[in-house]
């Protein structure tokens, strides 16, 4: 059974930083294409960043230069380092295993105050 458990969310002032973690189990983590998504109130869930099994990354335009996705295969964990946070980054952030086996985490709330 695949499990993805996010942590690291919280309340931060605009301009601040947070680092999210997602611990995976039930998959061969090193082979998996992973990502972070977010969903703000009343909005559709959107892609934030992805990282392939070999470490190639992609980012949404809205977070380029501010967020960094990374992975530690030895720890079965991906991270999302978020800097220069803005109120519009407020959302529930979800970890996703994109493939070969797809799964979602339960989400972690990030709130950025102005």
């Amino acid at each position: 059974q695949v499990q993805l458990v996010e942590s690291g969310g919280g309340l931060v002032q605009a301009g601040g930083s947070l680092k999210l973690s997602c611990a995976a189990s039930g998959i061969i983590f090193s082979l998996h294409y992973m990502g972070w998504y977010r969903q703000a109130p009343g909005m559709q869930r959107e892609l934030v960043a992805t990282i392939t099994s070999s470490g190639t990354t992609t980012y949404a335009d809205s977070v380029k230069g501010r967020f960094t996705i990374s992975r530690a295969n030895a720890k079965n964990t991906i991270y999302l380092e978020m800097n220069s946070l803005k109120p519009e980054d407020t959302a529930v952030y979800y970890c996703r295993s994109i493939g070969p086996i797809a799964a979602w985490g339960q989400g972690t709330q990030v709130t950025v105050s102005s």
Side-chain angles (χ1 to χ4, degrees):
Q1 183 177 355
V2 181
Q3 276 199 313
L4 302 173
V5 180
E6 302 99 333
S7 61
L11 173 64
V12 64
Q13 287 189 328
S17 299
L18 281 175
K19 187 172 183 177
L20 307 182
S21 301
C22 171
S25 60
I27 56 174
I28 303 174
F29 179 78
S30 62
L31 300 181
H32 274 69
Y33 182 28
M34 303 292 294
W36 287 98
Y37 290 69
R38 67 186 180 186
Q39 188 167 18
M43 305 291 285
Q44 288 192 331
R45 195 170 296 189
E46 64 175 0
L47 175 69
V48 175
T50 65
I51 185 165
T52 68
S53 57
S54 59
T56 300
T57 58
T58 63
Y59 297 92
D61 287 343
S62 59
V63 306
K64 277 181 184 176
R66 300 188 298 123
F67 290 12
T68 302
I69 187 171
S70 60
R71 65 191 298 155
N73 288 340
K75 297 183 178 181
N76 286 4
T77 300
I78 63 167
Y79 304 96
L80 185 69
E81 185 164 3
M82 306 184 292
N83 298 313
S84 302
L85 282 161
K86 304 175 181 180
E88 51 264 44
D89 294 318
T90 294
V92 178
Y93 283 71
Y94 296 91
C95 174
R96 186 181 184 206
S97 170
I98 300 169
I101 298 174
W104 288 96
Q106 83 288 353
T108 186
Q109 176 70 46
V110 171
T111 303
V112 184
S113 63
S114 57

